[in-house]
Amino acid sequence: MEEIKKTFSIKGMHCASCVRVLERSFKKIDGVSDAVVNLATEKATVSFNPEKVSDEILSSAVASVGYKAMLNEESLSEDQEKKEKQKELNKLKNKVIVSLFLGGLIVWGSFPGLVLTSPEILQNFFVQFFLAIPVQFWAGFEFYKAAIPALRHRNANMDTLVALGTTVAFFYSAVITFFPKVISSTGIETMPYFDVSTIIIALILLGRFLEAKAKQGTSEAIKKLMGLSPKKARVLRNGKEIDVLIEEVLIGDVIRVRPGEKIPVDGIILEGESSVDESMITGESIPVEKVKKDFVIGATINKNGSFLYKATKVGSETMLSQIIKLVSDAQGSKAPIQRLADSISSYFVPIVIMLAIATFVIWYDFGISNALTFALLNLVSVLIIACPCAMGLATPTAIMVGTGKGAGKGILIKDAKSLEIAHKINTIVFDKTGTLTNGKPEVTDIINSQKSIINNQKLLQLAASLDKVSEHPLAQSIVTKAENEKISFEKVKGFKAIAGHGIEGVIGKDKIILGNKRLMDKEKIEIKDLLKDIEKLENEGKTVMILAVNNKPQGLIAVLDTIKDTAREGISNLLKMGIEVIMITGDNKTTANAIAKSLGIKRVLAEVLPSQKEAEIKKIKNEGKVVAMVGDGINDAPALASSDVGIAMGSGTDIAIETSDIALINKDLKSVSWTINLSKKTMQTIKMNLFWAFGYNIILIPVAMGALYPFFNILLNPIFASAAMALSSISVVSNSLRLKRVKITKI
């Protein structure tokens, strides 16, 4: 049976170690081929054989290491999901408030300086003990809940460190409270540290609360997109217009859209015209004029007209739903650079535990007076200061913000890997038709051969009759010309498309061939008397097709595909960035060079057959270049797939968009340079995050171990260690959020 891929939420993750533990647990399951866990999105994507793996098995694997799988969350509505998350956030907030309040009372009654102002009752060790219990075992229960199952499976995570550190401090303090003579007999001052255990828990929970609030900002793009969808549609049924829920709209339904309303689902206009604001989908602020037969996108806003249209895509098939899925998948994917953090995190917690034990031993054996106290406090500091959480958040939070920002500009980045590679691109290959040009060519010239036996009208009729069967944009332009001139079509038999050359067929008793010079050469058709006209037209950037009847040339038809408005600026931006731009096309060299020259493109690959495009991309890659391919047609799909980064125009075919890594639904060629800029800014943010995450641990763990004490008499209080740990995660998320304000449109 074919594998399936399932994405679901995981509750209880807090650090990169959690990610490794969960991925390892999934991969142990027979039938699971791959598992990717994302800390920032709190989601797991698992590929598995459904005959061997069930939801129960996946859920059990998650529960066995101390977490909770939300496998059926897709059944929750957006509002329900929002309520569930808010409920969890409120629960965490309550724990923070209680912990800070009770911990604050303990600090007031025990902390040097503050104790002088506190009521006598708060100075009592037994009172402090009872105040600490709810903080340690109610508010701190989630640390035990994750740490204990992890230890059972010989794994360790951040919760393990917090649980160990606070438990040691709490029970040491409990021993001092109930059995003071045990400690005093050793000559050590009987001072409990309930303030340490409670405030550590309070500060870490506060950090998690602030981190959760910040992470909500990183997924803002998804929320905005989900919020775009209208709730109802006005549908014509049984001759009446009725309002139905958006979920009840069916393919084929005729829908009325009035001025100012959101378009419910995707479809084609049947009657009426209007201008439509597509900015929330494409990022383009100028409304688009829509008339009969034009395609409209669900969730876009109808401006001033009223029209009827037929629903062609509903539910999860609409463009908006597909965009949400793509953005969500991208945010849940893992960038190659994250492997570094993941690899380190798998060893991080065990190393920290060993360092904490070593710290205790060294301080206890070689310490000064009150060696046990010093050893204990430094052990707790080491356990608490270490923060694999920051490492785990460094990459995914930046990816979430980066892909979300791209989506807001009409740039759909399908996975984190593509976003990472994009900043390395130094060569971009553009397909011509439909990419650099509008893909809507128009017939400009019809010229008869000197020896032609047919007139212009007949020439157009024969060509259009053949082209009516073809889906090529050039063919459609000839068909449109014939329809506009009210020319009838002849019946064609034996139609055959010759890729990269033209078409042929039989009309009546005559064999008709329509194609380029290469086809005429291949068929050994002499076109000497047309060469001068062909050369002139090609120098004007026009594409020339020659028509032959029974292997005798009758004339030619020239078409011109206009260059996109954004093409010149888009190419100019890339050249300013030092990126080599190449145009690839099946057109002859003269036509191709004329178009390339007008765009400022110096390298042209002309007369390339569709089947040869992929090979040309591989040749360029073999030159040692990082190559992006930009295309829109079915014949571009292999080339898009073989390039380092495939970029599809949103106006292109579904297969081209499907095989690409990035889709430009805004159809704006300037977006290619914006994508590269976005990638650069995102990678800068990731590197900054990782530098901070690693630097924080490298610098502060030795400080927590007491490395500065022999030289400067400085020890790190566990309370300050917990504050620093919490701030490290918040700083990484906050730095990622800065991406929202970065301008990617400036070159």
Side-chain angles (χ1 to χ4, degrees), residues 647-665:
I647 302 174
M649 301 302 295
S651 54
T653 59
D654 289 343
I655 192 166
I657 293 172
E658 196 173 310
T659 53
S660 67
D661 304 300
I662 297 169
L664 306 179
I665 57 171

Side-chain angles (χ1 to χ4, degrees), residues 129-155:
F129 171 77
F130 286 110
L131 290 173
I133 286 176
V135 179
Q136 188 69 44
F137 301 107
W138 172 69
F141 178 70
E142 61 181 273
F143 301 118
Y144 294 110
K145 191 170 65 174
I148 293 170
L151 288 171
R152 267 206 313 265
H153 288 78
R154 288 177 290 185
N155 295 312

Side-chain angles (χ1 to χ4, degrees), residues 375-446:
L376 188 71
L377 287 175
N378 286 328
L379 176 142
V380 174
S381 290
V382 173
L383 290 172
I384 298 304
I385 197 79
C387 188
C389 191
M391 287 187 287
L393 291 168
T395 299
T397 52
I399 294 292
M400 286 177 72
V401 178
T403 52
K405 189 174 181 68
K409 287 286 182 183
I411 304 165
L412 291 186
I413 300 160
K414 296 187 181 180
D415 56 49
K417 183 183 175 183
S418 304
L419 183 60
E420 180 175 335
I421 294 172
H423 83 286
K424 299 176 183 176
I425 293 168
N426 53 31
T427 303
I428 298 181
V429 182
F430 285 91
D431 172 56
K432 180 184 77 74
T433 305
T435 303
L436 291 172
T437 64
N438 287 303
K440 295 180 180 177
E442 294 179 0
V443 174
T444 57
D445 304 85
I446 301 175

Side-chain angles (χ1 to χ4, degrees), residues 29 112 147 161 240 249 338 369 372 380 433 446 485 503 578 626 628 672 692 722:
I29 302 171
L161 299 179
K240 293 182 179 179
V249 177
Q338 197 173 335
S369 61
L372 178 61
V380 174
T433 305
I446 301 175
E485 296 193 10
I503 52 179
V626 181
V672 179
W692 165 251
S722 64

Side-chain angles (χ1 to χ4, degrees), residues 265-307:
V265 296
D266 299 357
I268 296 171
I269 293 178
L270 301 173
E271 181 186 304
E273 58 185 54
S274 185
S275 58
V276 176
D277 180 357
E278 297 182 343
S279 60
M280 65 281 292
I281 301 292
T282 66
E284 178 56 58
S285 58
I286 301 170
V288 182
E289 297 299 322
K290 300 286 184 178
V291 296
K292 189 176 178 180
K293 294 185 179 179
D294 279 347
F295 183 75
V296 290
I297 305 167
T300 55
I301 300 171
N302 180 37
K303 299 295 285 185
N304 46 25
S306 176
F307 59 87

Side-chain angles (χ1 to χ4, degrees), residues 19 87 162 182 386 572 735:
V19 172
K87 189 177 174 183
V162 177
V182 173
S572 174
N735 189 47

